[in-house]
């Protein structure tokens, strides 16, 4: 009996080390050409994001360990998958094999790498004091809190804000790329707003450099998706991509309201 307990203890994985994870996060040796680290795209100095790469911005990582779906289109169903995907993505770290990349930096396998980086990511969040005042009220009355809900300020749902660039070279149909369902055309995951003051540029496209720009975008009723000609209008996807979430509609916000919302967002 005692022997069984002892075996269970020695075969349990060692507690993952956040400091090791932090070093690995900054280590370009994880990429095939030895030149790219996680931190190049998820720059700690820039709220763990950076400008858009390949059409999408790297999401900030402060609450990555607390989410239940990962990626702007929700393509990753586990944190492990989201951490390991860049290792073998040909546009990112381009390794033929994630285990081999982990062994190159002295670990036993990719699981050990995901555990260590996960332990580091778990240290990044610090919950803010609950903001109060007019901005907080506006955040509710303007409908922001419908989608940016709960402690992480996300419902982890997918919504169409009119940012799919339908019909343009940069078109990105978001969630539909994962589900294949036309009803998902142009839908993206609601991002957490924790630490949002530090995480510019905003949206999956990185289109907005300031929070004021984002709030004005909502005030005007979101983005516009239009067909430039009959052929585009005939595409079966067009009505789907053009159908914004019903909560995205022009808001009656004064200049003071906009300033109060921005001040609120900066406290999150
Ligand atoms: C070349 C830039 C680049 C590199 C290098 C990179 N990432 Fe990312 N990362 C992204 C982008 C872009 C996304 C969003 C992908 C999407 O939604 O299609 C992302 C998504 C993620 C997510 C999901 C976050 C969320 O909120 O959904 C995690 C976690 C993550 N990366 C961790 C890492 C780790 C750990 C490394 C290093 C092993 C790394 N990334 C390397 C660009 C990068
Ligand atoms: C219908 C759901 C919904 C509502 C309502 C909503 N949002 Fe969003 N929000 C989203 C989604 C989805 C995104 C990401 C869209 C994208 O990148 O295509 C987003 C992105 C953002 C971002 C950018 C965050 C980042 O890291 O890039 C901010 C800031 C933001 N919203 C604030 C607000 C405010 C303020 C309101 C109210 C005026 C609001 N949202 C209302 C769903 C919503």
């Amino acid at each position: 009996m005692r022997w069984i307990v002892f075996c269970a203890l020695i075969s349990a994985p060692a507690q993952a080390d956040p400091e090791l994870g932090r070093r690995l996060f900054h280590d370009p040796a994880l990429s095939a050409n030895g030149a790219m680290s996680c931190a190049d795209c998820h720059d700690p100095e820039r709220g763990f994001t950076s400008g858009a790469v390949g059409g999408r911005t790297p999401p900030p990582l402060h609450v990555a360990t607390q989410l239940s779906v990962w990626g702007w289109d929700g393509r990753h169903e586990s944190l492990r998958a989201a951490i390991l995907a860049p290792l073998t993505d040909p546009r990112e770290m381009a390794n033929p094999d994630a285990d081999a990349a982990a062994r190159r930096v002295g670990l036993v396998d990719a699981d050990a790498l995901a555990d260590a980086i996960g332990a580091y990511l778990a240290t990044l969040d610090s919950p803010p004091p609950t903001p109060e005042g007019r901005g907080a009220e506006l955040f509710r009355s303007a409908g922001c809190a419908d989608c940016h809900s709960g402690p992480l300020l996300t419902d982890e749902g997918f919504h169409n804000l009119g940012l799919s660039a339908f019909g343009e070279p940069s078109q990105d149909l978001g969630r539909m790329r994962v589900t294949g369902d036309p009803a998902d055309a142009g839908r993206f995951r609601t991002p957490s707003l924790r630490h949002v003051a530090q995480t510019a540029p905003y949206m999956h496209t990185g289109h907005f450099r300031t929070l004021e720009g984002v709030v004005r975008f909502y005030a005007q009723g979101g983005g516009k998706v239009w067909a430039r000609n009959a052929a585009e209008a005939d595409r079966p996807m067009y009505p789907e991509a053009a159908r914004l979430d019903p909560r995205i509609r022009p808001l009656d916000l004064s200049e003071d309201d906009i300033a109060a919302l921005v001040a609120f967002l900066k406290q999150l």
Side-chain angles (χ1 to χ4, degrees):
M1 183 62 182
R2 212 181 286 161
W3 177 239
I4 293 171
V5 172
F6 179 66
C7 285
L9 278 178
I10 55 169
S11 62
Q15 193 68 38
D17 174 6
E19 176 50 28
L20 171 64
R22 192 192 63 76
R23 271 186 275 126
L24 293 166
F25 191 82
H26 290 84
D27 192 346
L30 280 178
S31 61
N33 67 5
M36 180 186 276
S37 76
C38 310
D40 286 341
C41 295
H42 301 280
D43 182 351
E45 303 288 308
R46 299 182 60 187
F48 292 89
T49 179
S50 58
V53 269
R56 290 187 182 177
T57 54
L61 300 178
H62 303 93
V63 303
T65 59
Q66 301 172 65
L67 296 173
S68 51
V69 63
W70 293 264
W72 284 106
D73 53 17
R75 72 174 70 176
H76 303 301
E77 289 177 0
S78 69
L79 178 66
R80 179 185 182 282
I83 289 174
L84 297 182
L87 291 168
T88 50
D89 187 320
R91 295 158 308 171
E92 300 187 3
M93 298 166 121
N95 293 288
D97 180 272
D99 284 318
R103 283 194 292 271
R104 198 163 59 233
V105 294
L107 300 171
V108 285
D109 59 13
D111 279 335
L113 177 65
D115 286 348
I117 291 183
Y120 166 58
L121 297 182
T123 66
L124 302 183
D125 186 34
S126 48
T130 310
E132 283 166 31
R134 223 162 70 76
E137 275 163 47
L138 282 164
F139 191 73
R140 280 187 294 272
S141 62
C144 315
D146 288 1
C147 299
H148 297 282
S149 56
L152 299 182
L153 302 152
T154 167
D155 59 358
E156 299 195 64
F158 300 87
H159 306 280
N160 187 348
L161 271 52
L163 291 168
S164 60
F166 178 83
E168 291 166 34
S170 59
Q171 168 177 297
D172 184 344
L173 295 178
R175 184 66 177 156
M176 201 194 116
R177 279 163 62 169
V178 175
T179 63
D181 182 352
D184 284 332
R187 291 187 181 170
F188 290 84
R189 182 196 61 186
T190 310
S192 168
L193 299 182
R194 290 278 276 279
H195 311 276
V196 75
Q198 306 159 33
T199 66
Y202 301 108
M203 305 302 189
H204 76 273
T205 54
H207 189 76
F208 299 102
R209 281 176 296 130
T210 65
L211 287 170
E212 188 188 326
V214 175
V215 172
R216 289 189 190 281
F217 163 84
Y218 281 110
Q220 74 178 26
K224 295 272 177 298
V225 173
W226 64 85
R228 286 164 302 187
N229 51 50
E232 268 184 22
D234 274 352
R235 285 176 59 187
M237 228 59 78
Y238 168 65
E240 308 284 353
R243 189 180 308 121
L244 305 198
D245 186 288
R247 285 160 293 202
I248 304 300
R249 47 175 168 58
L251 304 170
D252 189 13
L253 297 177
S254 67
E255 287 300 310
D256 281 356
D257 293 341
I258 290 173
L261 266 172
V262 169
F264 166 79
L265 292 170
K266 287 186 173 165
Q267 296 172 58
L268 298 176

